[in-house]
Amino acid sequence: MSNNEKTEDQSGTKAASIVPASLSESRPQTGDGMKRAAAKQQIEKFYYQLTDGCGRENCENAHCASSPTFILRDQERNILALKAVELFRNKAQLCEVQPSKVARAAEPAQASSSSQGASPCEPSTSACTTPVKPVVSFMKPSSSSSSLSEKSASMASVQYLTEEKIKELVDECEGSKSWSKFIRLIGSTFNNPESLSISFLMQPEGSGQTKPSKDTKSKKFDEDKDVDEKEDFIDIQSKHKNNQTAIEQLNLSEDDVSVDIASVRRAFDALMNIPDLPFIPALTNALTYLAKGVHIDLKFSPLILKQNPQLLNVFVIVMELPCLSSPEFIERAFPDFCKALCKLPLSGQCKLAKVWAKFGADWVRERVQSLHQLITVRIVNNEGRWGRGYHINDDADIASATKVLKILYYASIYGGERDSEKTIAEEKAINDDDENLQDMLQLQGAVGHSEPKELRQQKEDPYAQQLNAYSIDCRKPLVPYDEFINELLNEYLDVETDYKYKDDTDDTKISFMNHNYILTTASKFTLMYFDNRVRMFNERRSSILQTIVHGLPPIPFLRLQVRRDHLIDDALVALEMTAMDNPQDLKKQLFIEFDGEQGLDEGGVSKEFFQLVIEEIFNIDFGMFVYNEEQNVFWFNPTSFENDGQFTLIGIMLGLAIYNSTIVDVHFPAVVYRKLMGKKGTFEDLKEVDTTLAKSLQELMDYTEDDIDEVFMQTFQIGYKDVFGSSLTHDLKENGNQINVTQENKKEFVNLYADFILNKSIQKQFRAFKRGFQMVVNESPLKTLFKPEEIELLVCGSKEFDFSALEQATEYDAGFTADHRTIKHFWEVVHEFSDDQKRKLLQFTTGTDKVPVGGLSKLKLIIARNGPDSERLPTAHTCFNVLLLPDYTTKEKLQERLIKAISYSKGFGML
């Protein structure tokens, strides 16, 4: 071997550039559409030749990037694309060895000599001909009149890998101290989807096909040998049929692939133990070409997976590579591979999710981390571009990695601990009844105003539908949900741009709102804020149109005028009239007026309104809720005397708070938000409502002795007390007082007990409450964007009370700066405040003492100079989070004035 050849082999370029036969060459060529497709493929050949080259170091084609005389090396991609069209029109010379899917493998006669009409890029040796195995074609047989010799030669040239072959070749190369043969094998196999799809196949037990025969291993194609072409072709076809029969004998389920995963992993472990990993460049090049070829095939031939399901083997094998996170792979092959994977039809992606779900939490987590690394590298490498007319939504590599992350996300859910099918079916029946009643009330309320408006229903994720795996049904996925979030992506995310893209059908753009598993709660909250504001604007516009068309009085806002001393009566009566008259008015922007006060509601008045209403509604004297001091939570009173309408109005109030982006002081256990999302409360949720009862039932579950009935003396009849302290009983089963709890039925008892406390005992009250809540948010993306625990965060706010973060995020106006003497005094005083005083300061400046979603860093506080030193107290515009602070000369005076202002502030007036 010459030095040039040796260098070429060790680099892996030659091996990687031996590209497989076109997967689409057998596609029927009929009609103008096919002619255009063929022309497009030819142009793509020229384009790849101009951008990537053919892989030959000394290519003589001046229009090939691999040629030393190539003059377009520094040109932009758009110019190269135009040049590709020009070369196609001029029928310029095209290298046969291409990094695209349409290049044909060299025929034996061509491979033997480069002197008989060969192209400048054609390899001059057939040294990498390797043992043969029957090929599995991805497409239906071609109708073209190619000879049997061409077909048999093409089939005979297909490489494949097995664990035994890799180990034998590794031993051979270690002995010869030359890895060129091994590099050629890796390159020529991993760049060919046909080869890779039939590598590492499982074999039935006792099958004689576990390993290729010795004769087959030693067989090489002899172009000078006079053979009967027809018999040779029939023999290969026979082997292909036997291979297919062997796969069928495996009795694979719909959720399995024919790859021997254990064998793949052992083989790859052997690869990674090779010193200095000399095959990495060849592997990277080969996978780049493989991905581009498969990507084009899937793009132009959507039925390819149906014709050959073994194409999935390619993706399964590549995702097993231990070098997924290596810099070379992240920069080159992995992005192209993700693009190809995203082109799989939904059924194929969902099957991969089912397969990967079986590999366990550690496997899924490692691939999630690799994809996050790819996304992070792309963001960092293009840091200067973001926000200047180019957004992360426009980056194809980030988009494809995010979409692959979605497959792993659902694999994590599919393989996690999900609710039973029986429970899900029961919940669906209840939710369907509630939705039907909701629709009926919506239509009844709209009568007399205009034609009933069709509600906008949020679309279900097609992955969830196909897999029947929803995040709401999975408490413990394989990988925790927060590990799918990419913090850096959220930092660079332009929420307004992302919202614009949410209905865009362009594959080159992505809306992360439709892939919200990668977003933080704060980003999703902002997206929902945009959505709610758009809806409010539409309702306002609809009101104006109704005025013009039907002559109805203009009602652009949901305006509530209330008296402070009759707050509950005024608010609930106004909301009840609106809900009965036209429920759609609840989706208008809320506008609060306190009787006798001059405050103009730009958000701050609404904040105080909600706070005052919540304080009164949850007063235990009303008897609608009971308070658990140990858990510091409110729960529905199962024996309340209030009618359903009162609970409906409270549900409306909570829905309005979320819809108008207002944080309220509601102390509900987390199970309430699960139930609002359509789930039932279970024993696992009981500890949030009644810790003492949950512990007692857990002790019952943990007891394993046979005398359980004597120790606990418990029957299926339970007792509880009403709001007045009177004792009541309830049979969990018919004649429950006669059924003792035993080891055999204790689990049933615990589940029935929890179901009674969390569901059945409060069914009437909670359904009314949920109905009111849904009147406001039934068209909102709330359910699709957020998990129950995140909804609790939306309602109650964050628990991170970090005033240092608030100081960093605060802006200054009217002469104040961060270095001003008064500002320094202000923050010194604030940091010395107690937690109670800090909450009062938040209440004074923003209208609520709750921390917004994402922490105090998300609160844009503005401190403005309000004149020179004086005796005036600080004031605030709570609607705009503006604190007006006089320029006090001393820290002591500032402290005294500020404490007095936050301690005795109530009501609104005009300054």
Side-chain angles (χ1 to χ4, degrees):
M1 178 182 293
S2 68
N3 291 334
N4 289 339
E5 281 184 311
K6 186 173 182 179
T7 302
E8 185 180 51
D9 288 339
Q10 294 291 348
S11 69
T13 305
K14 176 180 176 181
S17 63
I18 300 177
V19 183
S22 170
L23 299 180
S24 58
E25 64 183 71
S26 58
R27 190 180 294 118
Q29 300 293 323
T30 58
D32 294 337
M34 286 301 177
K35 291 179 181 179
R36 286 193 297 270
K40 183 175 182 180
Q41 291 175 8
Q42 286 294 106
I43 293 173
E44 287 174 348
K45 288 183 182 182
F46 282 111
Y47 178 73
Y48 286 133
Q49 179 173 291
L50 293 170
T51 56
D52 297 339
C54 64
R56 297 283 294 173
E57 294 181 355
N58 298 313
C59 177
E60 299 177 2
N61 189 347
H63 298 132
C64 177
S66 297
S67 173
T69 60
F70 185 59
I71 61 175
L72 300 176
R73 199 172 307 279
D74 297 326
Q75 296 295 331
E76 296 181 355
R77 296 269 173 163
N78 289 338
I79 296 178
L80 294 179
L82 293 174
K83 184 65 176 178
V85 176
E86 179 185 340
L87 292 176
F88 170 74
R89 289 175 178 172
N90 297 334
K91 299 182 180 180
Q93 187 179 25
L94 183 66
C95 300
E96 288 192 7
V97 179
Q98 288 292 320
S100 73
K101 62 115 185 172
V102 288
R104 296 178 179 271
E107 294 183 2
Q110 293 173 322
S112 63
S113 174
S114 60
S115 61
Q116 299 178 3
S119 71
C121 297
E122 183 178 350
S124 59
T125 178
S126 59
C128 50
T129 301
T130 55
V132 300
K133 187 170 184 175
V135 67
V136 181
S137 175
F138 286 173
M139 303 299 296
K140 292 181 179 180
S142 173
S143 59
S144 62
S145 57
S146 57
S147 67
L148 290 175
S149 61
E150 291 176 337
K151 293 181 179 179
S152 60
S154 175
M155 298 179 73
S157 65
V158 175
Q159 307 285 345
Y160 69 98
L161 292 175
T162 65
E163 179 186 359
E164 294 78 10
K165 180 184 294 186
I166 287 179
K167 291 182 177 179
E168 290 174 3
L169 196 53
V170 167
D171 293 339
E172 178 184 338
C173 292
E174 284 181 342
S176 64
K177 300 187 182 304
S178 173
W179 294 97
S180 59
K181 185 176 180 180
F182 184 77
I183 290 172
R184 286 198 302 270
L185 176 63
I186 292 295
S188 58
T189 303
F190 273 90
N191 76 348
N192 189 337
E194 296 181 8
S195 298
L196 208 53
S197 69
I198 60 174
S199 295
F200 304 107
L201 290 180
M202 289 189 290
Q203 298 292 343
E205 294 184 5
S207 170
Q209 302 178 22
T210 304
K211 298 181 181 180
S213 66
K214 183 177 181 180
D215 293 338
T216 305
K217 287 184 179 182
S218 61
K219 180 180 178 181
K220 295 179 184 273
F221 189 90
D222 185 357
E223 60 181 1
D224 298 323
K225 186 176 180 180
D226 186 13
V227 295
D228 189 297
E229 297 176 345
K230 183 174 182 180
E231 290 181 0
D232 186 47
F233 177 68
I234 293 175
D235 179 61
I236 294 176
Q237 290 288 68
S238 176
K239 291 180 182 179
H240 169 60
K241 183 176 181 180
N242 292 337
N243 184 62
Q244 292 295 97
T245 303
I247 294 175
E248 292 174 0
Q249 291 175 358
L250 294 172
N251 295 321
L252 298 175
S253 69
E254 293 183 356
D255 299 348
D256 291 323
V257 289
S258 56
V259 177
D260 188 343
I261 298 299
S263 177
V264 172
R265 291 173 180 173
R266 290 193 298 267
F268 286 170
D269 286 342
L271 289 183
M272 301 309 293
N273 289 328
I274 297 176
D276 300 328
L277 305 178
F279 59 87
I280 288 294
L283 179 62
T284 304
N285 290 335
L287 288 175
T288 301
Y289 300 155
L290 170 83
K292 290 179 179 178
V294 173
H295 177 268
I296 296 175
D297 251 319
L298 290 169
K299 182 177 180 179
F300 292 104
S301 184
L303 297 179
I304 188 173
L305 185 62
K306 185 176 182 181
Q307 294 166 356
N308 183 24
Q310 283 188 219
L311 176 60
L312 288 181
N313 293 1
V314 172
F315 300 99
V316 172
I317 292 173
V318 173
M319 286 295 279
E320 289 294 330
L321 286 169
C323 55
L324 284 178
S325 300
S326 66
E328 300 88 350
F329 200 72
I330 289 290
E331 289 287 345
R332 291 190 56 199
F334 205 14
D336 289 328
F337 177 77
C338 290
K339 292 173 187 174
L341 182 49
C342 293
K343 284 299 178 182
L344 278 173
L346 178 63
S347 59
Q349 295 186 36
C350 289
K351 183 170 182 178
L352 284 178
K354 293 178 181 179
V355 172
W356 291 338
K358 299 177 182 179
F359 294 170
D362 291 339
W363 188 96
V364 176
R365 181 178 286 106
E366 289 175 2
R367 273 66 193 172
V368 169
Q369 291 171 351
S370 296
L371 289 166
H372 278 313
Q373 185 176 347
L374 169 57
I375 294 171
T376 301
V377 167
R378 287 294 301 172
I379 294 175
V380 172
N381 287 347
N382 295 274
E383 186 173 7
R385 299 177 63 189
W386 310 126
R388 299 180 181 179
Y390 187 76
H391 305 280
I392 56 176
N393 309 73
D394 303 318
D395 190 280
D397 291 349
I398 294 177
S400 59
T402 303
K403 292 175 182 178
V404 174
L405 196 64
K406 188 173 192 175
I407 303 176
L408 292 172
Y409 175 77
Y410 278 101
S412 178
I413 295 174
Y414 192 82
E417 297 180 14
R418 293 182 289 161
D419 294 337
S420 65
E421 293 183 3
K422 179 182 178 182
T423 300
I424 295 175
E426 292 174 353
E427 292 168 346
K428 186 177 185 304
I430 295 174
N431 293 331
D432 288 344
D433 290 342
D434 290 343
E435 289 176 4
N436 292 335
L437 179 59
Q438 190 77 38
D439 292 343
M440 182 182 67
L441 293 174
Q442 203 84 19
L443 291 175
Q444 288 179 349
V447 172
H449 289 268
S450 61
E451 295 183 3
K453 187 166 62 175
E454 184 178 353
L455 299 180
R456 188 189 74 170
Q457 299 295 331
Q458 295 296 322
K459 297 179 181 178
E460 288 190 359
D461 194 298
Y463 289 82
Q465 288 181 307
Q466 182 95 1
L467 293 167
N468 194 25
Y470 298 85
S471 60
I472 189 67
D473 298 327
C474 183
R475 291 177 184 261
K476 296 180 180 179
L478 293 177
V479 177
Y481 293 119
D482 57 3
E483 292 191 26
F484 288 88
I485 297 173
N486 189 294
E487 296 286 351
L488 188 62
L489 182 144
N490 282 268
E491 290 182 17
Y492 285 90
L493 178 66
D494 186 328
V495 176
E496 184 176 356
T497 300
D498 191 81
Y499 184 79
K500 292 177 183 177
Y501 284 0
K502 72 183 181 69
D503 296 321
D504 200 322
T505 57
D506 189 349
D507 288 341
T508 62
K509 304 179 187 298
I510 184 173
S511 170
F512 296 101
M513 187 175 182
N514 299 328
H515 300 79
N516 55 75
Y517 47 84
I518 202 171
L519 300 179
T520 61
T521 305
S523 295
K524 291 188 283 187
F525 172 77
T526 309
L527 284 166
M528 189 180 69
Y529 173 83
F530 268 91
D531 190 86
N532 290 343
R533 290 293 162 177
V534 170
R535 195 174 314 284
M536 290 176 185
F537 176 79
N538 290 338
E539 291 295 333
R540 195 180 310 168
R541 182 177 59 181
S542 177
S543 175
I544 296 174
L545 290 176
Q546 295 300 326
T547 301
I548 297 174
V549 176
H550 299 282
L552 299 175
I555 310 177
F557 301 99
L558 175 60
R559 188 183 299 271
L560 301 181
Q561 186 171 4
V562 296
R563 297 166 292 176
R564 284 188 179 270
D565 51 350
H566 295 82
L567 188 64
I568 297 298
D569 293 339
D570 292 349
L572 295 187
V573 167
L575 289 175
E576 184 177 12
M577 294 298 295
T578 302
M580 293 176 61
D581 191 37
N582 187 11
Q584 278 298 115
D585 285 347
L586 296 172
K587 297 183 175 66
K588 296 177 180 178
Q589 183 177 351
L590 182 65
F591 193 92
I592 300 295
E593 292 180 358
F594 282 107
D595 190 36
E597 299 182 17
Q598 298 174 314
L600 184 64
D601 189 7
E602 292 289 344
V605 181
S606 296
K607 293 176 185 177
E608 182 172 3
F609 165 75
F610 278 113
Q611 181 178 349
L612 296 175
V613 168
I614 294 300
E615 286 177 0
E616 292 198 33
I617 285 179
F618 285 89
N619 189 326
I620 57 175
D621 293 339
F622 276 16
M624 300 180 68
F625 298 92
V626 292
Y627 181 66
N628 187 317
E629 295 183 359
E630 183 180 1
Q631 297 297 111
N632 189 29
V633 295
F634 286 94
W635 187 246
F636 295 85
N637 182 6
T639 59
S640 173
F641 294 112
E642 300 293 337
N643 58 39
D644 292 356
Q646 298 298 312
F647 285 98
T648 299
L649 293 173
I650 295 175
I652 291 175
M653 192 69 68
L654 184 63
L656 285 174
I658 294 177
Y659 188 63
N660 288 271
S661 305
T662 303
I663 298 173
V664 293
D665 190 20
V666 174
H667 295 278
F668 277 138
V671 65
V672 169
Y673 303 102
R674 284 184 58 81
K675 289 170 66 67
L676 283 174
M677 294 297 101
K679 300 300 293 180
K680 293 173 60 177
T682 64
F683 174 61
E684 191 173 347
D685 302 308
L686 186 60
K687 60 185 177 183
E688 301 169 358
V689 178
D690 193 332
T691 304
T692 303
L693 177 59
K695 287 181 178 179
S696 299
L697 293 178
Q698 187 61 54
E699 291 176 0
L700 177 66
M701 290 291 293
D702 295 339
Y703 194 80
T704 57
E705 302 297 331
D706 294 334
D707 59 348
I708 185 173
D709 54 337
E710 299 176 1
V711 173
F712 288 89
M713 299 180 65
Q714 179 65 53
T715 66
F716 273 73
Q717 184 181 77
I718 60 173
Y720 62 100
K721 293 183 179 181
D722 63 12
V723 68
F724 300 108
S726 303
S727 296
L728 303 173
T729 60
H730 174 77
D731 286 349
L732 298 177
K733 297 175 67 175
E734 188 177 355
N735 299 321
N737 62 330
Q738 301 176 14
I739 305 175
N740 291 327
V741 176
T742 64
Q743 289 290 354
E744 290 73 23
N745 63 18
K746 67 179 182 181
K747 184 175 181 180
E748 179 188 14
F749 169 77
V750 168
N751 289 334
L752 288 174
Y753 201 155
D755 183 53
F756 174 75
I757 295 295
L758 300 177
N759 302 310
K760 292 183 177 178
S761 66
I762 62 166
Q763 181 175 358
K764 179 182 176 182
Q765 295 88 337
F766 188 84
R767 291 189 74 175
F769 173 77
K770 181 181 177 182
R771 186 162 58 247
F773 181 79
Q774 290 295 333
M775 281 185 181
V776 184
V777 303
N778 58 343
E779 295 183 85
S780 168
L782 180 73
K783 187 174 181 179
T784 57
L785 281 178
F786 299 97
K787 299 177 181 63
E789 58 271 19
E790 292 178 310
I791 296 177
E792 181 180 10
L793 190 62
L794 296 182
V795 174
C796 302
S798 174
K799 297 180 181 179
E800 297 180 8
F801 212 62
D802 186 1
F803 264 71
S804 295
L806 177 61
E807 181 179 359
Q808 294 294 325
T810 298
E811 299 176 1
Y812 305 96
D813 195 12
F816 276 159
T817 64
D819 298 326
H820 195 280
R821 179 194 71 252
T822 302
I823 295 300
K824 289 184 176 180
H825 289 165
F826 172 81
W827 287 114
E828 289 173 5
V829 169
V830 169
H831 289 310
E832 293 171 0
F833 275 177
S834 64
D835 287 347
D836 183 60
Q837 287 176 318
K838 289 179 179 178
R839 292 188 181 280
K840 287 181 178 179
L841 176 61
L842 282 180
Q843 175 72 46
F844 178 75
T845 55
T846 67
T848 176
D849 62 353
K850 299 301 177 183
V851 178
V853 177
L856 287 174
S857 62
K858 301 296 182 181
L859 180 62
K860 300 303 180 184
L861 178 65
I862 299 175
I863 302 179
R865 186 176 185 272
N866 190 23
D869 183 23
S870 67
E871 296 302 315
R872 296 182 63 186
L873 293 173
T875 53
H877 295 302
T878 56
C879 301
F880 308 105
N881 301 336
V882 176
L883 174 63
L884 302 176
L885 190 66
D887 192 1
Y888 300 116
T889 55
T890 65
K891 176 181 176 181
E892 292 73 19
K893 185 174 183 179
L894 186 151
Q895 183 177 17
E896 184 268 333
R897 297 277 86 188
L898 183 61
I899 291 177
K900 180 174 291 187
I902 65 177
S903 300
Y904 302 100
S905 60
K906 190 174 184 181
F908 295 87
M910 300 299 291
L911 295 176

